Amino acid sequence: MSEALLEQLFDSLTDTLLMVGTASLVALLLGTGLGVVLFATTERGLWRQPAVSRGLGAVVNATRSTPFIILMVAIIPFTRLIAGTSIGTGAAIVPLAVAAVPFFARLVEAALREVDRGLIEAAQAMGATPRQILWKVLLPEALPSLARGLTLTIISLIGYSAMAGAVGGGGLGDLGIRYGYQRFNPTVMLAVVAVLIILVQLVQSLGDFAARRLQKK
Amino acid sequence: MGESAMIKLDALGKRFHGPSGLVTALDDVSLEIAEGEIFGVIGRSGAGKSTLLRAINLLERPDQGRVFVGGVDLTGLRSDALRLERRRVGMIFQHFNLLARRSVYDNVALPLELAGLTRREIRDRVRPLLELVELADKADQVPAKLSGGQKQRVGIARALAAEPRILLSDEATSALDPQTTRSILGLLKDINQRLGLTIVLITHEMSVVREICDRVAVMDAGRIVELGSTFDVLTRPTHPLAREIARGLEPELKLDHLFGERFSEVPVLGGTTLLRIAFSGPHAEAPVISDLVRRFNVDLNILSGTIDHIQDRPYGVMKVELAGSVEPVVAHLKSLELGVEVLGYVRSALRTAL
Ligand SMILES: Nc1ncnc2c1ncn2[C@@H]1O[C@H](COP(=O)(O)OP(=O)(O)O)[C@@H](O)[C@H]1O
Ligand SMILES: [Mg+2]
């Protein structure tokens, strides 16, 4: 492998990490919020708002059922509005985040649902406010599941980011397609695949470790 | 009671939409529980016990009626005022409901954190509570490392943290073995006496009621069908369900197995009579049986007998086979205020053989 190739590989990896990292951060912040709202507004939730619950649920489902490659194209005007352009690594972050937020939100909602209702009841019996129940009971108890959900989200984002790369987003996907596919350079292709595998493995291992640590407390 | 009732439930009604239509969980339930009392609610599964208990701190808001705790009408409170009142009512649960990711110490501290106490104030409260439930050495463990009985002790310490006047217990010993159940009930009794705490506990086990309750209500299909002192309800139940539950404590004696073909539901000529005699009241400890034999010149064959103490009063049940004239014996026993019941009749062995 040439030094130039290594350098390119390194640059692409940096781009991928930037895209995935930023989108994950956005998903963590907005997705957690959205997930809490989805959980709490249901018929039997802490802040009963069935209309809100149904409305948000529909939007989330619509986003999640659109294939990423189509979503990316469909929201180009929105991407331009946010990033000022629709091409490049910065611009690719927008559709990645748009896909990741509802994805993680559903995982957050599921993680909160997993928390034993008896704990909510015990807290209510202690005179806890809904906000206290959320911060003192639900989120802390769901932490291991939330860590696993975030791991899954990051790994999915790594896959999506490769797709984003293919349409001008830069990163490892872009490198793989340009050199490996269009220029028939299997070395580059293999190197890209190897880096992606290592990256996913690394994220998975870190995520598992974190979840285990949180489980044990 | 009246004025001094710690808990007053006034004509509570609650219905649920179940899978097979409307379910009446509470049907016009009124009840007063005095300060310092240990009050039991017993009934079959689905009788409405949990709904009744959860109405006391309005975790379940009744459709009808009013709930007074310490003279305050909880049903009339706004949600923030209600939350403040709830701090004065502790609750323990069948499955403990401890936070898995908090240590024993932090579980007990939770109600105090919610109430906004400082770390120091919390420590000063939690330490003695852990001593009280004998878990001081487990303060830093997570609940998963504890036995069922220890978990319930944490639950009790947590329920007491905010210094409540009332403790609600929803089948708190139902997931525990008999020995652990006894130790938890002992702890509750101890707390009741030391702190003057009013305890309302629901259970489907009469043995739990017998062990610690001062008074008991029997529930069936959302109604209270019998209410009285534990001794009275156990020894002189009037409602069929109360009777069935009370009898559940006696050793089972399958008469038709014992006597086979010879057992009869109706009187038989020349046969014997099976009697159940309940000893309670002033003559509970008198030598009744030997007196009967002498006085009426009858033969008595004792089939089973138990002596128990309920609320520190002796209570015995004896099942006997009586050969001779029955009426005077029954009349005499009744005059002694003993419970008598004819269980059946037995044909003489000789006759069957012929
Ligand atoms: N949240 C609920 N939704 C629907 N039905 C309920 C609900 N809670 C209780 N019930 C019904 O009300 C009745 C009484 O329940 P419960 O008070 O839990 O009885 P118990 O504690 O005596 O077993 C049962 O038939 C039960 O199915
Ligand atoms: Mg119940």
Side-chain angles (χ1 to χ4, degrees):
Chain A
M1 237 186 286
S2 69
E3 214 158 286
L5 176 60
L6 266 181
E7 202 168 297
Q8 272 202 321
L9 209 53
F10 183 78
D11 284 348
S12 300
L13 178 63
T14 315
D15 283 351
T16 295
L17 291 179
L18 184 71
M19 285 190 286
V20 172
T22 314
S24 300
L25 203 65
V26 174
L28 181 61
L29 295 176
L30 300 186
T32 306
L34 182 57
V36 167
V37 173
L38 285 171
F39 170 80
T41 52
T42 54
E43 206 65 64
R44 301 196 54 188
L46 292 169
W47 298 284
R48 213 158 303 152
Q49 294 287 348
V52 174
S53 169
R54 271 193 298 275
L56 281 179
V59 173
V60 165
N61 288 345
T63 317
R64 291 206 48 202
S65 52
T66 310
F68 180 67
I69 202 104
I70 295 174
L71 180 78
M72 209 161 42
V73 176
I75 65 162
I76 281 178
F78 179 70
T79 305
R80 280 217 185 90
L81 192 75
I82 302 281
T85 168
S86 63
I87 337 168
T89 306
I93 291 172
V94 178
L96 283 174
V98 167
V101 167
F103 183 84
F104 186 55
R106 279 295 188 209
L107 295 176
V108 170
E109 185 194 6
L112 296 177
R113 252 185 235 292
E114 266 173 43
V115 176
D116 187 354
R117 272 202 72 82
L119 298 185
I120 301 177
E121 210 172 279
Q124 282 173 330
M126 290 172 207
T129 63
R131 187 186 298 258
Q132 286 177 320
I133 293 175
L134 178 66
W135 287 104
K136 294 269 181 191
V137 178
L138 286 170
L139 289 175
E141 286 292 306
L143 221 47
S145 301
L146 292 175
R148 279 189 289 270
L150 187 62
T151 306
L152 188 57
T153 305
I154 295 173
I155 288 173
S156 302
L157 276 173
I158 293 173
Y160 288 168
S161 80
M163 266 191 259
V167 294
L172 289 167
D174 179 39
L175 185 69
I177 297 277
R178 264 190 297 137
Y179 283 78
Y181 179 67
Q182 287 164 357
R183 297 189 199 169
F184 304 108
N185 185 337
T187 320
V188 177
M189 184 82 114
L190 281 176
V192 165
V193 170
V195 171
L196 281 173
I197 289 175
I198 292 169
L199 192 58
V200 168
Q201 278 295 342
L202 212 62
V203 171
Q204 186 69 57
S205 303
L206 270 173
D208 287 347
F209 176 74
R212 261 202 311 279
R213 280 297 293 267
L214 291 168
Q215 195 91 54
K216 267 196 187 161
K217 172 187 160 84
Chain B
M1 268 171 278
E3 287 296 299
S4 74
M6 178 53 98
I7 298 168
K8 183 164 179 258
L9 308 180
D10 184 17
L12 298 189
K14 177 78 188 182
R15 295 213 248 177
F16 291 108
H17 293 277
S20 50
L22 270 184
V23 178
T24 305
L26 293 179
D27 185 1
D28 191 29
V29 172
S30 294
L31 190 61
E32 287 191 15
I33 298 172
E35 182 164 10
E37 194 172 18
I38 302 186
F39 189 90
V41 180
I42 189 165
R44 293 202 189 95
S45 171
K49 306 182 297 292
S50 293
T51 309
L52 177 68
L53 192 80
R54 290 152 50 80
I56 294 174
N57 59 3
L58 288 197
L59 280 185
E60 202 73 75
R61 190 173 278 276
D63 308 326
Q64 279 152 24
R66 293 195 297 171
V67 176
F68 297 87
V69 172
V72 178
D73 180 1
L74 296 192
T75 29
L77 292 181
R78 291 162 43 92
S79 54
D80 43 351
L82 174 62
R83 279 195 284 269
L84 287 180
E85 290 296 328
R86 276 182 180 159
R87 289 187 190 156
R88 309 282 303 178
V89 183
M91 196 166 191
I92 55 177
F93 307 87
Q94 178 173 5
H95 299 296
F96 323 121
N97 295 355
L98 301 176
L99 275 67
R101 297 196 54 257
R102 277 179 173 241
S103 67
V104 165
Y105 179 97
D106 288 331
N107 264 286
V108 178
L110 179 60
L112 304 173
E113 278 176 38
L114 297 175
L117 270 65
T118 66
R119 291 172 72 94
R120 177 180 219 100
E121 288 168 325
I122 289 176
R123 199 187 56 214
D124 291 345
R125 287 256 200 113
V126 174
R127 289 287 169 206
L129 279 169
L130 290 178
E131 301 279 343
L132 176 76
V133 300
E134 294 165 10
L135 283 176
D137 56 329
K138 302 270 192 253
D140 299 325
Q141 304 254 313
V142 287
K145 297 249 164 69
L146 304 180
S147 70
Q150 289 172 329
K151 285 182 195 165
Q152 196 57 286
R153 285 170 185 275
V154 178
I156 291 171
R158 181 178 70 177
L160 296 179
E163 298 180 343
R165 296 166 297 174
I166 297 171
L167 181 66
L168 306 178
S169 163
D170 190 340
E171 304 268 9
T173 58
S174 296
L176 305 176
D177 62 65
Q179 199 185 336
T180 313
T181 294
R182 292 194 129 225
S183 96
I184 293 293
L185 294 179
L187 177 61
L188 291 180
K189 181 100 196 167
D190 185 48
I191 291 163
N192 161 257
Q193 281 167 353
R194 270 207 255 177
L195 310 176
L197 204 70
T198 308
I199 299 180
V200 185
L201 64 86
I202 69 175
T203 179
H204 61 272
E205 296 170 310
M206 200 49 144
S207 57
V208 168
V209 170
R210 179 181 59 182
E211 194 95 0
I212 64 166
C213 290
D214 300 314
R215 286 198 305 148
V216 60
V218 181
M219 273 193 93
D220 186 29
R223 302 186 71 95
I224 292 181
V225 295
E226 183 131 358
L227 173 70
S229 81
T230 301
F231 189 83
D232 287 346
V233 171
L234 279 179
T235 60
R236 283 190 260 288
T238 54
H239 189 273
L241 176 67
R243 184 175 303 218
E244 187 188 319
I245 292 172
R247 294 281 164 91
L249 290 175
E250 295 172 14
E252 207 179 356
L253 192 61
K254 289 228 168 79
L255 295 169
D256 45 350
H257 284 196
L258 197 61
F259 295 104
E261 291 278 285
R262 295 168 53 212
F263 180 75
S264 162
E265 302 268 351
V266 293
V268 284
L269 200 64
T272 56
T273 308
L274 300 173
L275 291 181
R276 175 188 181 276
I277 308 169
F279 298 82
S280 65
H283 302 283
E285 283 166 303
V288 175
I289 296 295
S290 54
D291 184 50
L292 277 183
V293 172
R294 257 181 274 131
R295 194 189 288 252
F296 297 101
N297 190 27
V298 291
D299 276 335
L300 274 178
N301 176 24
I302 295 174
L303 302 174
S304 77
T306 53
I307 285 277
D308 238 327
H309 279 76
I310 300 172
Q311 293 186 301
D312 296 326
R313 288 161 69 184
Y315 174 63
V317 171
M318 192 173 276
K319 287 171 187 162
V320 299
E321 183 183 4
L322 178 138
S325 167
V326 179
E327 287 78 22
V329 171
V330 169
H332 177 66
L333 291 172
K334 284 199 168 144
S335 76
L336 293 174
E337 291 177 49
L338 300 181
V340 198
E341 191 186 324
V342 175
L343 298 173
Y345 304 88
V346 180
R347 291 185 195 89
S348 111
L350 202 62
R351 256 165 213 275
T352 346
L354 281 174

